[in-house]
């Protein structure tokens, strides 16, 4: 493939990683704890992988000679910057232990394992993709691994290729799949280890052992650059309010981080909306109040950041979506058979009274979007719901009412944006390039230590990379029970924005000033070459969480 100047320059970049991983490592075992509420249910479902200890790798003096072994890698779910470096870290780590080891990539996600589609990843191929964005080295997919038939079909190709371990690189759902697969292969003594790596730009796969999911740093920097550009334009033309929706299916981590980087006039945090039990009308009135205050100063312009999953956190709409998910899980074919012009009434007729009332009150376009096809996990595809247009239109209507009542005298014109895919395959920031390589290398160390059912963990990442702590955390530690497709299923608990956490508190302390004044920050593009203080900084969220 033809390389850009950046790719050529980045090809020689050697990612940094924890000091312990440069030499021979040994395992230190920590506590075996369960961090979620549904311990007994999880223990019953995962008797072979529940209760394992937390692991930490430390330097060792003795040299270990391991036999050659074959490893399989799978990229699962949505793309995130740095995935190629995870694979490079796995490749380098396993080759360092024995140069005759091989790495196979299953094509287009977990489906490649089931359908026996794969390729061997050689050093020539790996070197083409080091420090690059995207998942195009082997592709990704959203096939859900959940049935015995799938597991057994996958085992056929693993045995044929003599693969002893599989690394699944993905988000909370993908790592849930990894945990289920690890449990099954251990139960039947298949001789195949399964390791997970924490990926998602949404930032909602984290806990005390997983500081951040890879790709979050890069995606937020990409979005913040464009938000900064819009704010510069906004402050130049001084005639538009920009409503900007940002990717983040459930949690508002991206919106919060981008607000911390760019200081917009208004930013919604879904978790706060839910905690305050705000209605859609209350949200609209709050934004309109900020518009009116700025207009009174002659500032008829501004920016509003909106998390992608906002609609699900408005309590009345959340209850509606939950019932819709359950209903459509059992009646999707019946719904599809209804004529399009009758579908709205069909839904209203089949919902409880309260939810039917909420559904009937929604604009027809939004109501229709709530009944569109679900994702593979049975969830509403919130990215298809144009919340930014809904809010811009409703704020405009509210201001028009206020103008008639003499409460508002300004001018209001809006522009809408959705930043999603733009951030998923960017060239990884130095932080993500380093972090991802370290996660992959750590995965190879977990494999060499004979572990299964673990997620690769790299911590202390606000410190210089040589002080990062590498290890592993049992995936069962993150499991709880959630309703999916109308049934209770084990899933990794999503990490939402903590309203008592340092990042949100800092935002809350400053947002009133950012709302009234124009205090925009223009971060500019990601910097890859230059001083550490410019190029290697982690997210503001991470620095505030770790008080650095």
């Amino acid at each position: 493939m033809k390389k850009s100047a950046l790719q050529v320059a980045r090809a020689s970049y050697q990612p940094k990683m924890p000091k312990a991983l440069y030499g021979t490592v040994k395992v230190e075992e920590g506590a075996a704890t369960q961090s979620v509420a549904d311990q007994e249910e999880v223990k019953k479902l995962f008797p072979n992988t529940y209760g394992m200890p937390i692991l930490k790798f430390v330097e060792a003096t003795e040299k270990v000679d391991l036999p050659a072994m074959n490893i399989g890698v799978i990229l699962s779910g949505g793309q995130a910057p740095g995935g190629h470096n995870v694979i490079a870290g796995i490749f380098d780590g396993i080759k360092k232990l024995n140069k005759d080891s091989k790495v196979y990539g299953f094509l287009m996600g977990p489906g490649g394992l089931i359908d026996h589609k794969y390729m061997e990843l050689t050093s020539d191929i790996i070197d083409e993709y080091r420090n690059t964005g995207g998942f195009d080295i082997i592709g990704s997919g959203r096939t859900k691994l959940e049935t015995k038939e799938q597991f057994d079909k996958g085992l056929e190709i693993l045995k044929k290729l003599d693969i002893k371990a599989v690394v699944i690189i993905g988000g909370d759902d993908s790592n849930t799949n990894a945990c289920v697969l690890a449990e099954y292969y251990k139960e039947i003594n298949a001789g195949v280890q399964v390791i997970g790596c924490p990926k998602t730009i949404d930032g909602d796969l984290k806990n005390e052992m997983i500081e951040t999911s890879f790709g979050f740093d890069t995606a937020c920097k990409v979005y913040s650059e464009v938000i900064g550009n819009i704010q510069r334009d906004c402050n130049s033309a001084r005639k538009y309010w920009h409503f900007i929706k940002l990717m983040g299916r459930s949690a508002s981590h991206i919106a919060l981080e981008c607000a911390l980087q760019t200081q917009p006039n208004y930013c919604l945090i879904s978790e706060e909306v839910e905690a305050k039990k705000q209605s859609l009308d209350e949200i609209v009135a709050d934004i309109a109040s900020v518009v009116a205050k700025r207009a009174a100063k002659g500032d008829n312009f501004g920016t509003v950041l909106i998390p992608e999953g906002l609609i699900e956190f408005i309590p009345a709409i959340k209850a509606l979506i939950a019932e819709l998910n359950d209903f459509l899980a059992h009646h999707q074919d019946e719904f599809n058979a209804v004529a399009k012009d009758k579908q709205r009434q069909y839904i209203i007729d089949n919902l409880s009274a309260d939810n039917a009332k909420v559904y009937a009150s929604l604009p027809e376009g939004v109501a229709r979007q709530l009944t569109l096809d679900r994702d593979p996990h049975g969830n509403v595809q919130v990215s298809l719901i144009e919340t930014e247009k809904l809010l811009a239109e409703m704020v405009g209507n509210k201001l028009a009412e206020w103008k008639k009542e003499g409460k508002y005298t300004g001018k209001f014109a809006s522009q809408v944006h959705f930043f999603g895919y733009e951030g998923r395959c960017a060239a990884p920031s130095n932080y993500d390039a380093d972090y991802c390589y370290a996660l992959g290398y750590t995965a190879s160390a977990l494999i060499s230590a004979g572990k299964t059912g673990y997620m690769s963990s790299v911590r202390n990442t606000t410190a210089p990379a040589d002080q990062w702590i590498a290890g592993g955390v049992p995936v069962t530690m993150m499991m709880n029970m959630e309703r999916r497709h109308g049934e209770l299923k084990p899933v990794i608990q999503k990490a939402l924005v903590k309203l008592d956490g340092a990042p949100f508190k800092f935002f809350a302390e400053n947002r009133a000033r950012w709302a009234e004044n124009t205090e925009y920050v223009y971060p500019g593009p990601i910097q890859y070459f230059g001083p550490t203080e410019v190029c290697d900084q982690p997210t503001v969220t991470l620095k505030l969480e770790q008080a650095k």
Side-chain angles (χ1 to χ4, degrees):
M1 62 180 175
K2 186 176 180 180
K3 292 185 177 181
S4 68
L6 176 62
Q7 283 177 278
V8 172
R10 290 288 277 173
S12 60
Y13 178 77
Q14 179 55 51
K16 301 177 282 293
M17 61 179 183
K19 186 179 179 183
L21 296 181
Y22 283 104
T24 304
V25 300
K26 66 178 180 180
V27 177
E28 282 188 357
E29 294 189 353
T33 58
Q34 188 74 7
S35 60
V36 294
D38 305 319
Q39 296 183 38
E40 290 306 314
E41 292 87 345
V42 173
K43 188 175 181 179
K44 287 175 189 174
L45 290 169
F46 300 95
N48 297 289
T49 52
Y50 179 89
M52 299 186 298
I54 293 168
L55 305 178
K56 175 184 173 183
F57 291 117
V58 295
E59 294 175 271
T61 52
E62 66 276 10
K63 190 176 186 307
V64 179
D65 291 316
L66 290 176
M69 65 188 303
N70 297 341
I71 309 298
V73 296
I74 297 172
L75 292 168
S76 181
Q79 294 74 251
H84 290 156
N85 268 27
V86 177
I87 295 176
I90 294 167
F91 182 88
D92 291 352
I94 215 72
K95 285 287 188 179
K96 183 181 177 183
L97 292 166
N98 190 308
K99 63 180 178 58
D100 294 323
S101 293
K102 293 180 180 180
V103 176
Y104 291 91
F106 288 98
L107 306 181
M108 304 310 295
L113 176 67
I114 299 166
D115 298 333
H116 299 183
K117 295 178 180 178
Y118 64 90
M119 63 185 288
E120 183 182 350
L121 298 174
T122 62
S123 58
D124 287 346
I125 295 170
I126 294 289
D127 289 346
E128 281 288 313
Y129 287 92
R130 291 180 188 271
N131 309 309
T132 61
F135 279 5
D136 45 314
I137 186 171
I138 52 174
S140 183
R142 294 186 180 275
T143 301
K144 189 169 175 61
L145 296 172
E146 55 184 350
T147 69
K148 180 179 180 296
E149 290 72 26
Q150 290 174 320
F151 304 157
D152 290 339
K153 190 70 176 172
L155 189 57
E156 290 176 14
I157 192 62
L158 296 176
K159 291 295 186 185
K160 180 180 177 180
L161 297 174
D162 195 27
I163 288 175
K164 301 297 185 185
V166 176
V167 181
I168 296 179
I169 303 162
D172 55 309
D173 282 316
S174 301
N175 276 279
T176 295
N177 296 170
C179 190
V180 172
L181 193 64
E183 174 68 25
Y184 179 72
Y185 284 163
K186 192 165 184 181
E187 180 187 348
I188 66 171
N189 295 313
V192 178
Q193 301 160 243
V194 183
I195 302 295
C197 278
K199 171 236 67 169
T200 172
I201 67 166
D202 292 0
D204 58 8
L205 177 49
K206 66 177 184 178
N207 51 52
E208 60 272 17
M209 293 299 296
I210 306 294
E211 288 182 349
T212 187
S213 51
F214 80 75
F216 177 70
D217 182 271
T218 305
C220 287
K221 285 172 179 169
V222 169
Y223 298 145
S224 293
E225 176 197 354
V226 186
I227 293 166
N229 294 348
I230 286 174
Q231 290 187 155
R232 181 79 81 174
D233 181 271
C234 184
N235 200 13
S236 300
R238 305 198 171 201
K239 62 180 181 180
Y240 290 120
W241 272 86
H242 293 264
F243 288 71
I244 304 167
K245 185 172 72 173
L246 295 161
M247 195 166 264
R249 215 214 94 80
S250 293
S252 305
H253 295 293
I254 290 177
L256 178 56
E257 173 63 25
C258 290
L260 294 171
Q261 289 193 32
T262 63
Q263 301 182 183
N265 301 108
Y266 198 95
C267 176
L268 283 154
I269 302 298
S270 299
E271 293 84 343
E272 183 183 28
V273 168
E274 183 175 48
K276 289 183 174 179
K277 296 181 169 56
Q278 288 180 288
S279 67
L280 185 57
D281 190 61
E282 286 171 334
I283 292 168
V284 168
D286 202 28
I287 298 171
S289 295
V290 171
V291 174
K293 282 180 184 177
R294 286 179 59 79
K297 298 171 62 176
D299 294 335
N300 291 294
F301 64 93
T303 49
V304 178
L305 303 189
I306 305 158
E308 180 185 31
L310 171 70
I311 201 88
E312 286 189 294
F313 282 78
I314 299 170
I317 297 179
K318 183 177 183 178
L320 166 63
I321 288 174
E323 186 175 352
L324 268 176
N325 282 344
D326 271 357
F327 178 75
L328 290 175
H330 299 99
H331 301 87
Q332 188 70 59
D333 291 341
E334 185 180 318
F335 171 75
N336 291 342
V338 175
K340 289 235 184 305
D341 61 341
K342 308 278 192 204
Q343 287 180 339
R344 181 180 174 93
Q345 191 58 48
Y346 169 84
I347 292 293
I348 291 170
D349 292 343
N350 284 281
L351 292 177
S352 61
D354 286 347
N355 287 332
K357 185 177 179 182
V358 173
Y359 186 82
S361 73
L362 294 173
E364 190 167 343
V366 173
R368 183 185 60 80
Q369 288 166 343
L370 288 177
T371 58
L372 293 175
D373 289 344
R374 268 53 189 153
D375 67 16
H377 307 288
N379 301 313
V380 171
Q381 298 189 69
V382 292
S383 64
L384 300 179
I385 299 171
E386 296 175 313
T387 321
E388 68 281 19
K389 288 185 180 178
L390 174 69
L391 290 177
E393 181 181 335
M394 292 183 74
V395 168
N397 292 340
K398 180 70 72 176
L399 291 168
E401 288 175 23
W402 289 357
K403 185 167 276 192
K404 287 180 182 176
E405 296 168 7
K407 297 178 182 177
Y408 169 68
T409 57
K411 297 177 181 178
F412 178 78
S414 63
Q415 298 284 340
V416 295
H417 316 265
F418 173 35
F419 300 147
Y421 289 90
E422 295 87 344
R424 299 207 309 179
C425 288
S429 63
N430 285 1
Y431 174 89
D432 268 333
D434 295 346
Y435 181 54
C436 289
Y437 187 79
L439 284 171
Y441 215 99
T442 300
S444 74
L446 287 166
I447 292 167
S448 68
K451 304 301 178 183
T452 192
Y454 276 85
M455 191 184 296
S456 180
S457 168
V458 177
R459 297 179 289 127
N460 197 36
T461 60
T462 57
D466 62 355
Q467 296 174 31
W468 293 2
I469 300 165
V473 54
V475 184
T476 54
M477 277 183 61
M478 296 170 251
M479 287 289 187
N480 72 329
M481 307 301 291
E482 285 184 13
R483 188 166 291 279
R484 298 287 179 93
H485 287 294
E487 297 178 13
L488 282 174
K489 299 272 189 178
V491 296
I492 292 174
Q493 194 170 35
K494 288 185 185 295
L496 304 181
V497 169
K498 294 180 179 178
L499 302 183
D500 60 351
F504 180 81
K505 282 184 174 180
F506 182 87
F507 164 73
E509 288 165 5
N510 290 278
R511 60 180 166 184
R513 196 181 73 249
W514 298 346
E516 195 164 337
N517 304 319
T518 303
E519 299 190 12
Y520 302 149
V521 174
Y522 315 114
I526 296 173
Q527 300 296 304
Y528 299 98
F529 310 99
T532 293
E533 59 270 20
V534 175
C535 301
D536 300 337
Q537 293 301 304
T539 57
V540 180
T541 295
L542 202 52
K543 287 192 280 190
L544 287 170
E545 284 174 341
Q546 300 190 10
K548 294 179 182 179

